[in-house]
Amino acid sequence: MKNLTKILALAAIVSTAACSQFENQNPIDTDELGVISEDGSLNARVSNEGVIPVLWTSGPGGNATCADTGIDFEESTSRNNYNGGEFEEEWPDGLTIEVLDDKFVNWSFDAPSGQCLEAIAFIVKGGPASHIYIYEDGQTSDEGLVSPLVGKKGRKKADLSNLTVCYSLQSCGGSD
């Protein structure tokens, strides 16, 4: 319970200290922001906006799908492999993805005219597992998403292997 209190306090601090799109060019060290598992080990990195990822280790190679988020998303980019500092496929119009140090994912989404982002999830894969970051409040950007920690004692940040984005839009009235 003590660790949960620390995590919630840290999430509140992080969410109030967020900057504008992709302003934080130096990713925060994993030791500074993390989720402590029941055995006391660090197992995840909280995003800059305080979103705590779900650790996904099931399925082939630890790859999750949009269905694994538990939300019925209308759209999906499918798995987009990341090799040599580049993604294999283009992102949908309005979605901007930036990867720092082959590990940290920053994103922003500018919905089409007359539509708003209802919910979005990012499946960040690296090593034998994925992190699923879910945003259900219409949030349109975040920074510092990362794949699960790997290696002895789970202290090494895995390089990004692939990224899947799941999202749903809703009519929000007004148009340009």
Side-chain angles (χ1 to χ4, degrees), residues 85-103:
E86 299 289 327
F87 285 100
E88 291 180 357
E89 304 294 328
E90 295 292 319
W91 296 109
D93 287 342
L95 180 61
T96 302
I97 302 290
E98 176 186 51
V99 178
L100 300 174
D101 299 331
D102 292 328
K103 295 176 185 346

Side-chain angles (χ1 to χ4, degrees), residues 2-142:
K2 185 185 285 185
N3 286 338
L4 181 58
T5 303
K6 288 180 186 176
I7 292 166
L8 293 175
L10 183 56
I13 292 168
V14 170
S15 65
T16 58
C19 300
S20 64
Q21 178 183 347
F22 308 151
E23 210 170 279
N24 182 7
Q25 294 301 309
N26 292 315
I28 298 169
D29 186 13
T30 305
D31 291 334
E32 292 180 26
L33 286 178
V35 177
I36 307 300
S37 67
E38 290 179 14
D39 68 2
S41 63
L42 188 66
N43 70 356
R45 184 192 184 284
V46 176
S47 76
N48 286 6
E49 290 293 322
V51 175
I52 299 171
V54 174
L55 177 64
W56 186 266
T57 59
S58 299
N63 282 294
T65 66
C66 291
D68 296 323
T69 66
I71 299 171
D72 187 20
F73 287 102
E74 295 171 0
E75 304 288 335
S76 169
T77 63
S78 299
R79 190 179 306 157
N80 196 346
N81 291 322
Y82 183 77
N83 296 310
E86 299 289 327
F87 285 100
E88 291 180 357
E89 304 294 328
E90 295 292 319
W91 296 109
D93 287 342
L95 180 61
T96 302
I97 302 290
E98 176 186 51
V99 178
L100 300 174
D101 299 331
D102 292 328
K103 295 176 185 346
F104 299 91
V105 176
N106 298 340
W107 67 273
S108 69
F109 190 84
D110 185 21
S113 179
Q115 295 190 314
C116 294
L117 189 60
E118 180 178 7
I120 192 166
F122 291 82
I123 301 170
V124 184
K125 170 73 166 71
S130 299
H131 273 152
I132 303 173
Y133 292 85
I134 300 173
Y135 305 82
E136 294 184 88
D137 60 358
Q139 186 171 336
T140 59
S141 67
D142 199 359

